[in-house]
Amino acid sequence: MTSPKNPLVFKIFTECRKTKARTSKIYLPHGEVDAPVFMPVGTQGTMKGLLNEQLYNLEIQIILANTYHLGLKPGREIIEKAGGLHRFMNWNRNLLTDSGGFQMVSLLKLAQITEEGVKFQSLNESKLEILLTPEHSIEIQNSIGADIIMQLDDVVKTTSTDVNRITEAVGRTSRWLDRCLMAHKKADSQSIFPIVQGGLSTELRTKSALEHCSKNVRGYAIGGLSGGESKDDFWKMVHLSTNILPKDKPRYVMGVGFAVDLVVCVALGADMFDCVFPTRTARFGCALIMTGQINLRQKKYQNDFSPIDKECRCSTCETYTRSYLHHIVTMHTVACHLVTVHNLAFQQRLMKTIRVNIKEGTFPDFVRKFMYDVYPDKKYPSWVADSMKAVNIDLIR
Amino acid sequence: MKFSVKTSVKSAPRLGKLYCSNDSPSSFRFQTPMVLLYTRGGSLPHITHEVFKMISKNQEIIQIPLTSTYSFHQAMSQFEGNIASFVGMKDCLSYMTVQDPGELTQSGHHVKDNIPIWTRGGKVMINADKYMDLIENYKPDMYCMLTDSDTNVASLNKRIIKSVDNTIKFYNKCMERHTKSEILKDTFVIASVTGGYSIRERKRCLDAVTSNENVGGYVIDGLHNNGPEVEFIPFDEVKPVVKYVTENLPVDKVRIVQGCWNPLMVLHLVGCGIDIFDTSYCYIVTERSAALTFSLGTDDKLQKFEINLRESQYADDFKPILPNCTCLACTKHTRGYIHHLLAVQELLGPILLTIHNVHHYLRFFEKIRECIKENTLPEYQTKIAKEFREFEKKISSRTSSDTSVIAAES
Ligand SMILES: [Zn+2]
Ligand SMILES: [Zn+2]
């Protein structure tokens, strides 16, 4: 099984005795990834104003890129000519690409989904109808050359209650998975993850997860969540999916990046996460700290000569004060870069703390302490209390 | 700080040394002609301290305009430390100026005994006392006195006379405060010589500001109103006035000219005995998505003066910006990648361009010093002149054929 041609080897190291949390390593063509892992999003082949060297300093082992954006610019041809995205951007660690479908449905209001694929009208003056099929998505992703790639899935708005539509989407997602696997030309260097769909319906999610389990794949994504649904629904869908998906393969919950959500999803047995939030919020001067976030634009930081976070060892916190950041935030790009570095360092530190606690058998204690720090009045949101109870952690006690 | 120069010729290329008097003589030393690192809001445009440490091995002096850092004044009055440490660049020395060389300074709005400075929060009137309070607060290693530099080649006589009147008044007041100040006793103070393009007024200013031994050097001001327009000022225009001023400045004091002068102009000014410039030129080049590629050698092979990486020809060009350049952008990335970043307006584009442009510009100054040492400056200047003329031709043909392109880029 660990033949050198296998582009994804998953090894679990420690399993939490109470919850479903586990620490693991994912061995990929561009190095190993310590999981649970947060994967920052570098949409267009670059991480929001950071040099690769800065990402290496932050010990980031895998980043995301968006197929839809890269397919438009620089385009498949240029990326192929450059020898793939790793070489194009000179990034020597791992990459993961999405299928492009989600971006299309969310960015282009006119996108239309048929059995063939996602159809939309191009935004330029040609007004050509463009069709993104499962085959086409994989073709682009093969050119980009990411270490982990996503199947094209049939995305339904998370809050939709149209059972017929969700049923159709689940079936279609499975059929498209087969087409993606058939079209895949680089099976020895890239691994396709199927995406569990099914909206907020227990039956349909179960069906989707079970269908994917029968396929020859090396990991799974849980999709169609984090789109505005209630958190009470969200955690149940994650919980249910991880209960079905095989234990010995990585599970990736798409679109999750808030600290509380990450802690919950890890307890529910998820291994990989991505979200634009930490980098996007940096642009508006929001810096992440363990108990939430601070907005550096606020006047109260004008004469605050402490770093964003005294506990943080990032290059921003080592050199800059809240006061200086307050004065340049949203005014100079440097401020954006500085807060981005800190926010990524924060995500890294959080995930490392999680891994260490799982490894040392103290994860349940960590969860309790973490939630208490975030909600010092112990008024835990129901979804946090319920989800933790489902994995044997009683927060109220 | 102290300056020493080995020459007795008043208006000729010269090699000098700038060092801190209170540190060991070997540390903190800069060789002139040199370039200050231009900052906005206290940071190099697009460059954080972490990146700065990756690209700079030597000590540098950062140039901090008051216009983009005025808003710090309340915080600075409580901050224990100087402006360089406040902006996260404590390993650099700092030089404070009134105006921002990278941005066009709005003309007019004069009020008796005050200078208007245009900050993000709008216009602020600064008089000499207020200015010196700010300087004592910010504690730079070097600063330029308050000055009325609001003149350019088109200025009327009345305005020029007024600018000199004001500058002399400011000089007297600032110098009085400086001499009495305990905080500024080790600070290198620079006086300003204004007078627009009038020799008579330049003389009047020189006579008033060149008698005090405590002045560390002079900035030749009032030649322009800063910003990108400075790039294409021809040497012939400034030559009489710059020659006149350099010939009448004390030979042992450092001479500064600020602004986005093009490299050919820098060579001309070095030829007049100017010692210190700044990297605001790199900033305006970066903002138009261009990379400096002019020659740093004296061989016969001409190079393109600069290349604009937004041009589609670079989309699939996987060579570095400049072959053999040792900067981080050139050793790690390609023209094609940078073209992509610029095309999709990603923040890394200007970062990589700044890294290359500043690197190239610092090497340009190394080359200048080497040429002065070896007496080869005229040959190098001839070559740069050829490359620059080609570039100008290209720019002007583009301006006449398609003005909208330029407008879109500015
Ligand atoms: Zn930090
Ligand atoms: Zn370079």
Side-chain angles (χ1 to χ4, degrees), chain A residues 375-390:
Chain A
Y375 305 102
D377 53 4
K378 286 204 167 191
K379 282 187 183 137
Y380 301 113
S382 59
W383 76 277
V384 174
D386 294 349
S387 61
M388 289 306 92
K389 205 162 185 184

Side-chain angles (χ1 to χ4, degrees), chain B residues 241-254:
Chain B
V241 129
V242 171
K243 278 262 176 202
Y244 178 79
V245 174
T246 49
E247 270 160 18
N248 288 282
L249 279 174
V251 75
D252 58 338
K253 303 286 184 184
V254 73

Side-chain angles (χ1 to χ4, degrees), chain A residues 44-45 54 81 90 302 324, chain B residues 41 43 74 316 332 337 340:
Chain A
Q44 324 214 56
Q54 291 176 282
K81 223 168 166 179
N90 196 23
Q302 190 185 340
Y324 179 61
Chain B
S43 290
Q74 256 183 320
D316 61 350
K332 306 271 183 186
Y337 181 56
H340 164 68

Side-chain angles (χ1 to χ4, degrees), chain A residues 288 307-318 338-339 341-343 345-346 349:
Chain A
L288 306 178
I308 294 172
D309 183 347
K310 285 192 187 76
E311 307 289 309
C312 182
R313 297 274 88 81
C314 83
S315 60
T316 301
C317 290
E318 266 175 10
L338 291 172
V339 182
V341 166
H342 168 79
N343 285 357
F346 173 85
R349 188 154 58 100

Side-chain angles (χ1 to χ4, degrees), chain B residues 206-336:
Chain B
L206 279 166
D207 290 345
V209 302
T210 49
S211 52
N212 194 323
E213 251 316 295
N214 290 326
V215 172
Y218 297 90
V219 53
I220 306 179
D221 229 333
L223 294 168
H224 54 74
N225 289 87
N226 300 306
E229 287 174 12
V230 175
E231 184 181 3
F232 293 104
I233 295 176
F235 180 59
D236 288 343
E237 199 171 290
V238 300
K239 187 177 173 185
V241 129
V242 171
K243 278 262 176 202
Y244 178 79
V245 174
T246 49
E247 270 160 18
N248 288 282
L249 279 174
V251 75
D252 58 338
K253 303 286 184 184
V254 73
R255 294 131 172 219
I256 305 174
V257 169
Q258 80 171 30
C260 320
W261 307 98
N262 68 64
L264 178 60
M265 188 67 155
V266 168
L267 292 169
H268 280 300
L269 292 169
V270 164
C272 296
I274 303 298
D275 306 300
I276 297 183
F277 300 84
D278 61 75
T279 58
S280 56
Y281 175 70
C282 299
Y283 169 69
I284 62 156
V285 170
T286 299
E287 294 307 297
R288 64 170 173 248
S289 304
L292 297 172
T293 50
F294 62 83
S295 292
L296 295 170
T298 13
D299 55 65
D300 297 333
K301 207 174 145 269
L302 289 186
Q303 289 180 187
K304 275 190 185 156
F305 197 77
E306 68 171 50
I307 59 175
N308 194 309
L309 287 168
R310 220 158 28 174
E311 289 171 17
S312 53
Q313 58 172 305
Y314 300 113
D316 61 350
D317 182 342
F318 301 122
K319 292 191 289 296
I321 296 171
L322 188 61
N324 302 324
C325 178
T326 56
C327 85
L328 187 145
C330 290
T331 50
K332 306 271 183 186
H333 296 291
T334 63
R335 295 171 174 186

Side-chain angles (χ1 to χ4, degrees), chain A residues 126-138:
Chain A
S126 70
K127 295 274 178 245
L128 276 174
E129 283 222 324
I130 299 175
L131 183 68
L132 181 77
T133 63
E135 292 77 15
H136 188 207
S137 169
I138 295 303

